[in-house]
């Protein structure tokens, strides 16, 4: 079975402070993991992906995520938040072994205070 | 290169009517997936088409259908609209292995059923 849990529905940070969005997953197979961002009234944009190469993955706009198999986590981080980072973020687990399957987390809304 | 194009962007329909939404994927992408996004249910998978064949299907009633053409463009149709069908419908295209490459999303079609 495959599942993904985003541990916070809302996260609020001040501009210039670090961002941490938490994601735990479970998968019977070696998963691929993704983070997407969605700004209001827009589609989702791929931020970064892990597909069994380096465990520390760098994405666009200064975001990065670390795949930790022992903790079944794939948390998204950014050293310094910008106002434009305010959006909803989705953690996604996907596989093509044993049948194609893509599962989206419920999303974490990030608020950035000036 | 052109992104994923969804038309129309906004649509208002009356209960009982039917609607057709269109999606043109990125050139070279042969997989097209459709998702329904609502505040209460989040992102829910409708179906995926690859090379004109439905490859995967979510748990939606038969009122929801889709198809893909030889140029990879896809349409989805909802018949006998219900108020609960009001949602943002997102189309996502990818190479054949979306577990490896991830999705590119369109901006969505906002459907309001009154």
């Amino acid at each position: 079975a495959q599942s993904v849990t985003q541990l916070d529905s809302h996260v609020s940070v001040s501009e210039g402070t670090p961002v941490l969005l938490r994601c735990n997953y479970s998968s019977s197979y070696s998963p691929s993991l993704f983070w997407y961002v969605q700004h209001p009234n827009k589609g989702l944009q791929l931020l970064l992906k892990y597909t069994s190469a380096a465990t520390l993955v760098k994405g666009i706009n200064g975001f990065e995520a670390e795949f930790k198999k022992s903790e079944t986590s794939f948390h998204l981080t950014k050293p310094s938040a910008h106002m434009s980072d305010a959006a909803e973020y989705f953690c996604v687990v996907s596989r093509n072994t044993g049948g194609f399957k893509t599962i989206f987390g419920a999303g974490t809304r990030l608020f950035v205070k000036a | 290169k052109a992104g994923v194009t969804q038309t129309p962007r906004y649509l208002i329909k009356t209960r009982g009517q039917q609607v057709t939404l269109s999606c043109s994927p990125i050139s070279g992408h042969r997989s097209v997936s459709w998702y329904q996004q609502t505040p209460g249910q989040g992102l829910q998978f409708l179906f995926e088409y690859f090379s004109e064949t439905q490859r995967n299907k979510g748990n939606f009633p038969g009122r929801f259908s889709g198809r893909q053409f030889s140029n990879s463009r896809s349409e989805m149709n909802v018949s006998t609209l219900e108020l609960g069908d009001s949602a943002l419908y997102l189309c996502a295209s990818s190479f054949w292995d979306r577990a490896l490459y991830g999705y590119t999303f369109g901006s969505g079609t906002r459907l309001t059923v009154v």
Side-chain angles (χ1 to χ4, degrees):
Chain A
Q2 214 167 237
S3 68
V4 59
T5 303
Q6 293 185 241
L7 298 167
D8 306 291
S9 59
H10 298 86
V11 169
S12 182
V13 301
S14 297
E15 192 174 23
T17 64
V19 175
L20 170 63
L21 305 183
R22 300 182 295 165
C23 172
N24 286 354
Y25 72 92
S26 70
S27 179
S28 304
Y29 301 89
S30 295
S32 296
L33 294 158
F34 304 83
W35 276 98
Y36 289 85
V37 61
Q38 184 179 32
H39 288 92
N41 296 314
K42 300 284 188 184
L44 282 72
Q45 180 184 18
L46 180 64
L47 273 178
L48 49 79
K49 62 181 178 181
Y50 165 79
T51 56
S52 78
T55 56
L56 182 62
V57 181
K58 293 189 184 300
I60 61 171
N61 301 334
F63 285 94
E64 63 181 39
E66 186 171 8
F67 173 71
K68 292 187 177 180
K69 187 174 180 179
S70 61
E71 299 176 12
T72 60
S73 69
F74 190 59
H75 301 335
L76 182 70
T77 60
K78 183 174 181 177
S80 176
H82 191 272
M83 295 297 289
S84 60
D85 295 328
E88 187 147 26
Y89 293 78
F90 295 91
C91 182
V92 178
V93 60
S94 190
R95 72 161 196 255
N96 63 0
T97 307
F100 283 88
K101 193 96 173 161
T102 296
I103 306 291
F104 280 78
T108 297
R109 184 160 299 275
L110 176 65
F111 296 94
V112 182
K113 299 174 289 187
Chain B
K1 97 183 170 181
V4 177
T5 304
Q6 289 189 248
T7 57
R9 285 297 314 276
Y10 301 93
L11 209 47
I12 300 175
K13 289 287 188 178
T14 305
R15 266 183 307 174
Q17 287 187 312
Q18 75 165 17
V19 67
T20 299
L21 311 182
S22 178
C23 172
S24 293
I26 284 179
S27 177
H29 285 189
R30 293 167 62 192
S31 168
V32 174
S33 298
W34 289 89
Y35 285 85
Q36 181 195 67
Q37 186 178 29
T38 60
Q41 300 296 318
L43 277 150
Q44 293 190 283
F45 174 71
L46 282 154
F47 28 66
E48 179 196 13
Y49 286 87
F50 181 79
S51 293
E52 301 179 66
T53 301
Q54 188 178 85
R55 184 160 71 171
N56 290 286
K57 188 177 188 304
N59 296 321
F60 277 80
R63 299 186 297 107
F64 291 81
S65 63
R67 59 178 175 168
Q68 187 180 34
F69 302 95
S70 58
N71 62 357
S72 294
R73 190 177 72 84
S74 177
E75 290 181 346
M76 66 163 281
N77 183 276
V78 188
S79 62
T80 320
L81 283 165
E82 300 177 359
L83 295 179
D85 297 333
S86 295
L88 180 67
Y89 289 88
L90 291 164
C91 167
S93 76
S94 67
F95 292 110
W96 74 273
D97 185 353
R98 52 185 161 83
L100 182 61
Y101 295 102
Y103 286 125
T104 301
F105 281 85
S107 295
T109 294
R110 171 76 62 186
L111 172 64
T112 302
V113 182
V114 298

